[in-house]
Amino acid sequence: MLRGGPRTTKVDARALVEAMLFAAGRPLSVEEMTGLTGLDAKEVLDAAESLLREYSSRCGGIEVRAVEGSFVMQVRGDLAQAVAMVAPRELESSVIRTLAVIAYRQPITQSDLARIRGNKCYEHVRILERMGLISASKKGRTRELRTTRGFAEYFGLQSANPEFLREMISRKREMIGITPIYESLARRLGIDYVVVNPYRPDENDTARLREIQLLVASPGYAERIREHYSGEILEIGTSTFSKLKEGVERLALKLNDLPNAETLIREIDAAMREYRERARGLGPVKPLTPIAREIALDMRLEIGEGVTAAADYTGTGAEIIIPTHQESNIDIIERIRQRYDAMLEGLMQRRR
């Protein structure tokens, strides 16, 4: 019976379950419907199975299906594509991107998902769990996430097999490729990415280059990259904080959903203020290479006849050597800090 209401007949129970499935728009478990209606589990199960048989015999546009111990009312799978344009958009684009990462990388831990999609993903996960599109199981101190059969049903897909889902997502999503030095940047920004070497690609790199729609790479290598890749290239400079900030802003405009872009830009701005303050009163500096000049200008140092500075690759006898041949696994911010620190230390030593 309904809580606080009169005894519900068998016909009423069936109508009530039908109304609940229609209103929910997502899979409902027998236990959930039992708790909400006050009906016993057998009444709910009998009603749901009766509806499943009836809707199946109708051959209409709506069906009731059993999904991993739950029941869902939905547009018939073979008609889902035809009505997609008029269907309500229940999921925001940011939630859909999080769901796509889960589907493509499953099983994926919630902590790994947060590194890719940012802290907003925890709310996304709660939404997706409530809708029955993903399931979570305990794994150490975190949780492991997978899509459910309900995910396939919701999007009208023929199979819930993870390999099938990965293939479908690969066809439809915009794959982002990055060269190794940008991996920490991609993690900071919450980008779902693949690492690729577009300069001397091996067999695996060549396959990835065919899949990606956008490649993030260092400035000045486009001609060399074009020998192996014909898609869009976004060049992001990492020589200075100003160039990195400009690149992050361009990437945020391009992808339109970077959950951590504002946080990173604030961190870059704070670093620039810090180094400009520390550089005040130092100099002049005489840059011997373009990167040394860019750093000096970004720190607002006086340029003139002073301490010589050059990049490490030149082999010159400059008084300040700017490190550029750094390990690719160094964080993108730390990479630039090391260069600015070298400039500051060289100038301060000269003043002693």
Side-chain angles (χ1 to χ4, degrees):
M1 59 182 169
L2 285 169
R3 290 172 180 171
R7 177 71 185 175
T8 307
T9 66
K10 189 171 184 178
V11 174
D12 291 332
R14 188 172 178 280
L16 180 57
V17 170
E18 183 177 27
M20 290 185 70
L21 292 175
F22 174 81
R26 63 177 176 85
L28 293 175
S29 68
V30 172
E31 291 77 11
E32 188 175 2
M33 288 189 281
T34 298
L36 291 171
T37 64
L39 297 169
D40 63 44
K42 187 175 186 307
E43 285 179 297
V44 170
L45 183 60
D46 288 347
E49 289 180 340
S50 173
L51 289 166
L52 189 152
R53 290 190 295 272
E54 179 187 335
Y55 277 80
S56 178
S57 66
R58 284 182 187 177
C59 296
I62 304 298
E63 63 182 0
V64 173
R65 299 194 67 171
V67 182
E68 295 186 347
S70 299
F71 290 86
V72 62
M73 180 179 289
Q74 62 182 24
V75 174
R76 210 174 71 206
D78 58 327
L79 300 176
Q81 194 78 15
V83 302
M85 295 303 293
V86 296
R89 297 293 186 264
E90 297 181 30
L91 293 176
E92 295 180 2
S93 61
S94 59
V95 180
I96 290 175
R97 285 180 181 269
T98 297
L99 179 57
V101 172
I102 295 170
Y104 188 77
R105 294 179 176 249
Q106 65 180 303
I108 181 172
T109 63
Q110 193 160 272
S111 54
D112 284 342
L113 179 66
R115 279 192 283 272
I116 296 172
R117 293 291 297 150
N119 288 332
K120 289 183 180 179
C121 80
Y122 292 106
E123 176 59 25
H124 298 170
V125 166
R126 285 191 286 272
I127 292 169
L128 297 170
E129 281 190 278
R130 284 199 300 269
M131 294 183 68
L133 299 180
I134 66 170
S135 63
S137 58
K138 189 74 174 173
K139 185 171 184 180
R141 295 182 178 180
T142 185
R143 301 195 302 163
E144 195 169 67
L145 308 175
R146 290 178 170 83
T147 56
T148 63
R149 178 69 196 175
F151 170 86
E153 299 287 349
Y154 185 88
F155 290 100
L157 301 175
Q158 299 172 351
S159 171
N161 180 277
E163 288 302 322
F164 173 80
L165 297 180
R166 270 188 280 276
E167 182 181 350
M168 292 295 294
I169 292 168
S170 294
R171 291 178 191 170
K172 296 183 178 182
R173 72 173 181 161
E174 185 177 71
M175 294 279 284
I176 309 299
I178 62 169
T179 55
I181 68 167
Y182 293 100
E183 188 164 9
S184 66
L185 176 63
R187 287 197 301 266
R188 279 174 168 271
L189 291 175
I191 297 172
D192 189 19
Y193 63 90
V194 293
V195 179
V196 63
N197 178 356
Y199 313 114
R200 294 178 181 174
D202 59 20
E203 187 175 333
N204 290 332
D205 290 320
T206 300
R208 293 190 190 105
L209 287 169
R210 286 196 295 266
E211 293 178 352
I212 64 177
Q213 284 76 51
L214 176 67
L215 175 66
V216 177
S218 299
Y221 293 93
E223 185 175 347
R224 186 171 170 185
I225 291 171
R226 284 295 175 217
E227 297 176 12
H228 312 285
Y229 174 68
S230 60
E232 184 176 359
I233 300 172
L234 183 64
E235 297 180 335
I236 294 183
T238 60
S239 58
T240 66
F241 284 121
S242 291
K243 288 197 170 183
L244 178 61
K245 179 182 177 180
E246 178 189 349
V248 171
E249 289 172 339
R250 287 169 53 219
L251 191 56
L253 285 172
K254 177 67 181 175
L255 300 184
N256 198 33
D257 180 28
L258 294 182
N260 302 322
E262 290 184 8
T263 300
L264 180 56
I265 288 171
R266 285 196 296 270
E267 183 178 349
I268 294 170
D269 284 340
M272 281 197 291
R273 288 194 298 270
E274 172 196 339
Y275 280 98
R276 286 170 181 173
E277 181 62 30
R278 291 171 61 188
R280 186 177 296 176
L282 298 178
V285 63
K286 182 180 180 180
L288 302 181
T289 58
I291 191 170
R293 182 177 181 81
E294 289 169 3
I295 291 171
L297 290 173
D298 207 39
M299 295 172 72
R300 296 180 178 169
L301 288 164
E302 179 187 349
I303 305 293
E305 290 300 321
V307 182
T308 56
D312 55 6
Y313 60 80
T314 62
T316 64
E319 296 163 277
I320 298 174
I321 301 298
I322 305 296
T324 58
H325 287 145
Q326 297 146 297
E327 294 293 328
S328 62
N329 61 356
I330 296 176
D331 177 76
I332 198 83
I333 298 291
E334 177 59 25
R335 179 185 299 272
I336 300 174
R337 280 186 172 276
Q338 288 179 5
R339 296 169 182 171
Y340 284 44
D341 286 340
M343 181 72 82
L344 285 176
E345 288 168 10
L347 289 170
M348 288 188 291
Q349 284 177 6
R350 181 63 182 266
R351 295 186 66 180
R352 292 184 187 131

